Amino acid sequence: MPPETTHRSVQCYHCRRRFEVGVRAVTVSCPGCHKRLVIEDLVIKNAQAYTKLQTCGRVVVQRRGHVMATLVEAHAGIEVLGVLEANAITGGGVRIGPKATWKGDLAARTLRVDAGARIVGGRFAVPDDPLGLARTTPERAGDGAS
Amino acid sequence: MAEGTNQTTTIGADTSITGEISFESAAQVYGRVEGKIVGKGELRIGSGATCRAAIDAGRVTVDGTVEGDVVGRDRVELTAKARVTGDVTAPKLVVNEGASFYGHCRVGPDAGKEHAKSVAEAKPAAKGVGAPTA
């Protein structure tokens, strides 16, 4: 039986420091810049406006969801089934569903667009490593790192 | 072969073409093309193919490398091996996971119409530019 995973690697979206957190963590303070980080997946079910929508997890915009933001940053990926109007960067994959609308730029590792999606004039860069995830190695939170 | 049946034009892997390729029903490219590819039917840029070309066709499937703008009047599909650098315009776009794509993207029912409109508007202007002056 494989050992149970107790930690996962995340990257601070303020200072870009990488460290490990418990798999059940929802929010955490960055050991580098001490700012609060959202770790959990964000599920948008209705119309929401943000300046920055950031998480170390995934952003999921459901069919009736409508996100308007200047920046969406989701380190584990983005799934859009509704409407997303923002410039987005992610260290994971992006899925634009069959009835989804995407308006804005995108930098992502992988992209999947289903037939029927609507994309309005964004600049796409795929694959990209906008977060530099391939360059740094994580450290354990609370390991005494400076 | 009976007249009227669908014919597929194939550009082989050891073929290199510079200029404009035009086809009616279907074409497959496995070699190198520099210039322009225009057609009404289905175009497949096969695995290993390299196109430095502007592409305008009905249905475009990219399995190789394309450097240039891609316009699909009906649909554009990028397979997992596709490498595209250029703008994509199509009513329907399918991007399989693993595809590489750098460029602007216009996808939706109006995307093809808007592109056709902009091309139509650009033509008379281009004529005007090239017209001799008294």
Side-chain angles (χ1 to χ4, degrees):
Chain A
M1 193 172 160
E4 198 177 331
T5 311
T6 56
H7 289 78
R8 66 172 171 137
S9 174
V10 296
Q11 184 180 31
C12 175
Y13 45 76
H14 301 291
C15 69
R16 302 293 172 204
R17 186 193 195 96
R18 285 192 73 192
F19 57 97
E20 290 196 341
V21 297
V23 286
R24 291 185 179 179
V26 175
T27 63
V28 69
S29 291
C30 171
C33 65
H34 308 291
K35 288 181 180 168
R36 179 179 172 272
L37 297 176
V38 177
I39 304 294
E40 65 179 340
D41 295 347
L42 301 177
V43 180
I44 314 298
K45 296 178 180 174
N46 47 27
Q48 301 276 358
Y50 307 88
T51 49
K52 288 181 181 178
L53 179 63
Q54 293 172 302
T55 177
C56 296
R58 296 171 73 231
V59 166
V60 179
V61 183
Q62 293 192 337
R63 266 191 74 178
R64 291 176 185 274
H66 187 152
V67 172
M68 288 160 283
T70 53
L71 174 70
V72 171
E73 183 173 345
H75 292 192
I78 299 172
E79 182 172 3
V80 182
L81 303 173
V83 181
L84 187 140
E85 295 179 47
N87 293 335
I89 58 174
T90 176
V94 170
R95 182 191 168 212
I96 303 176
K99 289 183 180 174
T101 298
W102 181 287
K103 194 173 182 179
D105 299 349
L106 169 68
R109 279 192 168 174
T110 63
L111 170 65
R112 183 182 147 197
V113 181
D114 295 336
R118 185 167 169 263
I119 301 171
V120 186
R123 190 185 185 285
F124 281 45
V126 182
D128 198 4
D129 189 15
L131 308 173
L133 292 176
R135 292 194 296 270
T136 55
T137 52
E139 64 187 42
R140 283 275 173 90
D143 278 0
S146 57
Chain B
M1 191 183 279
E3 209 173 296
T5 55
N6 284 344
Q7 292 184 328
T8 302
T9 304
T10 303
I11 311 297
D14 58 348
T15 308
S16 178
I17 295 177
T18 305
E20 184 170 335
I21 298 173
S22 135
F23 64 95
E24 283 290 324
S25 57
Q28 296 179 332
V29 177
Y30 294 98
R32 294 173 66 89
V33 176
E34 287 190 23
K36 200 171 179 183
I37 304 174
V38 181
K40 289 177 184 169
E42 191 167 344
L43 171 68
R44 182 176 187 87
I45 309 297
S47 179
T50 305
C51 293
R52 282 188 171 185
I55 293 172
D56 189 340
R59 294 167 69 93
V60 182
T61 303
V62 181
D63 203 14
T65 304
V66 174
E67 287 181 32
D69 296 349
V70 179
V71 178
R73 302 289 171 179
D74 183 29
R75 171 190 163 111
V76 172
E77 180 170 357
L78 311 185
T79 69
K81 289 179 187 173
R83 302 284 175 265
V84 175
T85 307
D87 298 350
V88 172
T89 306
K92 286 180 188 170
L93 172 69
V94 177
V95 181
N96 290 295
E97 200 165 330
S100 164
F101 171 37
Y102 293 89
H104 286 90
C105 195
R106 294 183 72 83
V107 176
D110 303 329
K113 291 173 194 169
E114 283 176 18
H115 182 267
K117 198 177 168 184
S118 64
V119 169
E121 283 171 359
K123 272 182 181 173
K127 273 184 185 175
V129 169
T133 51

